[in-house]
Amino acid sequence: MKEGVIMKDYEVKVLDENDHIFIETLRNLGMSRNVATTMAYLMNVDEASSREIEISTGLRQPEVSLAMRLMRNQSWVSVRSEKKPGKGRPIKIYALAAPVDEIISYYEDKIYKESQATISAIKKLKVMSKKVPLTPSK
């Protein structure tokens, strides 16, 4: 009898069309692809390991780690460690810690401030352009 590899059944949720529309809309607000994709996934589950996020979203491990670091720095996700049976380091389990509306409001405020700065610069240029003579100097 030949020995084989024992496979485990593993169920993961996958992103649907609405999730991809949500991700693209977040990206249009200036959110990175990694953070937007990770956030969309975490909205659909109570919690997930980074490996589950990788499998479900198609992101690579470094991309998930980077997204998690950015989201933790904003206090948008919580993290806990779960000890695996046997040897090895514990796995990190992530969950959204902030309401999605709060995260969206962060980008709304950021875009508003950027827009105000742009409008202020345009007004300044208009004032300055009125002081500049129309004919070139000789």
Side-chain angles (χ1 to χ4, degrees):
M1 187 149 123
K2 188 175 180 180
E3 288 189 41
V5 176
I6 298 173
M7 301 292 287
K8 295 180 184 176
D9 283 334
Y10 200 75
E11 184 179 315
V12 294
K13 296 186 183 305
V14 292
L15 300 174
D16 65 15
E17 186 179 344
N18 286 335
D19 293 320
H20 288 288
I21 292 168
F22 190 79
I23 291 165
E24 281 309 306
T25 306
L26 289 173
R27 293 199 62 209
N28 289 337
L29 296 179
M31 187 181 280
S32 76
R33 178 182 68 89
N34 300 343
V35 172
T37 304
T38 302
M39 187 174 124
Y41 179 74
L42 288 175
M43 286 172 47
N44 290 301
V45 297
D46 291 333
E47 59 182 16
S49 69
S50 54
R51 185 71 185 133
E52 290 169 330
I53 296 167
E54 290 169 41
I55 293 167
S56 299
T57 62
L59 294 173
R60 297 182 336 257
Q61 185 274 325
E63 294 171 320
V64 173
S65 294
L66 182 61
M68 286 305 160
R69 185 177 312 122
L70 294 168
M71 293 176 79
R72 277 196 321 265
N73 289 344
Q74 294 290 343
S75 301
W76 294 342
V77 291
S78 61
V79 61
R80 68 178 178 84
S81 291
E82 189 174 279
K83 183 79 173 116
K84 296 187 292 189
K87 295 181 181 180
R89 61 173 64 179
I91 58 171
K92 291 181 179 175
I93 306 293
Y94 300 97
L96 273 182
V100 175
D101 289 350
E102 185 180 304
I103 297 169
I104 293 168
S105 290
Y106 167 85
Y107 281 92
E108 180 181 25
D109 293 344
K110 181 179 173 188
I111 290 168
Y112 179 78
K113 287 174 185 169
E114 290 168 355
S115 297
Q116 291 302 105
T118 302
I119 289 168
S120 177
I122 289 169
K123 286 179 181 176
K124 185 175 182 180
L125 286 171
K126 285 181 176 181
V127 169
M128 291 173 69
S129 70
K130 288 186 170 107
K131 295 177 184 175
V132 176
L134 294 175
T135 56
S137 58
K138 296 180 182 176

